[in-house]
Amino acid sequence: MDQDAMKRQAAEAALAYVEGGVIGVGTGSTVNHFIDALAGIKGQIEGAVSSSEASTERLKAHGIPVLDLNATGELTLYVDGADESNARLQLIKGGGGALTREKIVAAASERFVCIADESKLVDVLGAFPLPVEVIPMARSHVARALVELGGTPVWRDGFVTDNGNLILDVHHLEIQDPVALEQQINAIAGVVTVGIFAQRPADVLILGSAQGARTLT
Ligand code: ABF
């Protein structure tokens, strides 16, 4: 079974958590499978709140209404992928650059179901370069502060987020205390969002594998 088939397996298993209403929908290739699967039961939901322009486009192409979070109120369910997860379901996200909206929708949702292939489960977060969304004028200032924290920030040149900001990908971090590092990086002036999701981790992690979908809580 290839990696994409494992992603599809996890995405299809997440359908079991859909109970109608408005669904929070994330971004990425695993979520694309979830959107395609959601289209099959679109009559059972009111619509979706989307975390990116890319997901919005895909949802609309399937005829799934895309709603504004300001109009829906809090959501019962958010389904999204991740770049890494540890066993406590603390995540690194933002490889696709949509981390700020993803963190907002996660915060506004009662249950966060994360979907991934099994390669995303790690012992210690940080082998995947940590994305940090930054206000453009603060890029160098934030980069220096990240070096102080022991990382090697690399500007994702040519990439602009849906919010008009920049991304620094921080290499060489071994994240032993994800909650503390999330708070520290959030406190740097000019940081919009750090891609550590530890203060609000996932509630459920579904991992696709050759042995079938495995669920961690
Ligand atoms: C988003 O998509 C992320 O925050 C993460 O960066 C990425 C996961 O991508 P994929 O599902 O393509 O592996 O959810």
Side-chain angles (χ1 to χ4, degrees):
M1 184 182 245
D2 67 13
Q3 195 180 19
D4 191 58
M6 292 180 201
K7 290 179 180 194
R8 189 178 327 110
Q9 184 190 62
E12 288 173 357
L15 278 188
Y17 292 85
V18 176
E19 290 172 344
V22 181
I23 314 299
V25 173
T27 302
S29 59
T30 316
V31 167
N32 282 345
H33 288 303
F34 177 71
I35 294 172
D36 296 347
L38 195 60
I41 58 161
K42 66 181 178 186
Q44 297 172 33
I45 63 169
E46 282 170 49
V49 167
S50 167
S51 74
S52 66
E53 302 298 336
S55 289
T56 295
E57 206 174 296
R58 196 174 189 99
L59 286 158
K60 285 184 173 167
H62 279 302
I64 299 172
V66 177
L67 307 168
D68 181 346
L69 184 62
N70 290 307
T72 61
E74 301 297 286
L75 307 176
T76 52
L77 176 66
Y78 177 47
V79 178
D80 197 1
D83 300 304
E84 278 184 352
S85 175
N86 64 20
R88 298 169 67 185
L89 311 195
Q90 298 168 319
L91 313 171
I92 286 184
K93 290 174 53 53
L99 62 165
T100 296
R101 296 188 190 187
E102 291 173 352
K103 203 170 261 199
I104 293 167
V105 184
S109 300
E110 204 176 301
R111 184 186 247 174
F112 174 7
V113 174
C114 183
I115 52 177
D117 69 87
E118 63 178 356
S119 71
K120 303 284 182 78
L121 184 63
V122 298
D123 289 332
V124 179
L125 300 176
F128 188 92
L130 175 66
V132 180
E133 181 167 351
V134 174
I135 298 286
M137 75 168 282
R139 175 172 54 88
S140 297
H141 167 72
V142 173
R144 285 191 291 272
L146 291 168
V147 169
E148 290 285 308
L149 291 174
T152 307
V154 176
W155 178 19
R156 203 182 291 180
D157 204 1
F159 184 87
V160 178
T161 70
D162 285 348
N163 314 303
N165 297 315
L166 308 176
I167 299 277
L168 294 172
D169 293 302
V170 191
H171 296 247
H172 308 132
L173 286 174
E174 200 172 284
I175 306 175
Q176 298 293 352
D177 187 343
V179 171
L181 190 64
E182 182 176 7
Q183 287 168 341
Q184 270 180 305
I185 296 178
N186 269 335
I188 302 168
V191 167
V192 178
T193 305
V194 54
I196 301 175
F197 285 52
Q199 290 174 294
R200 199 278 182 255
D203 302 299
V204 176
L205 173 63
I206 305 176
L207 292 171
S209 80
Q211 291 73 42
R214 184 155 68 100
T215 301
L216 277 67
T217 54

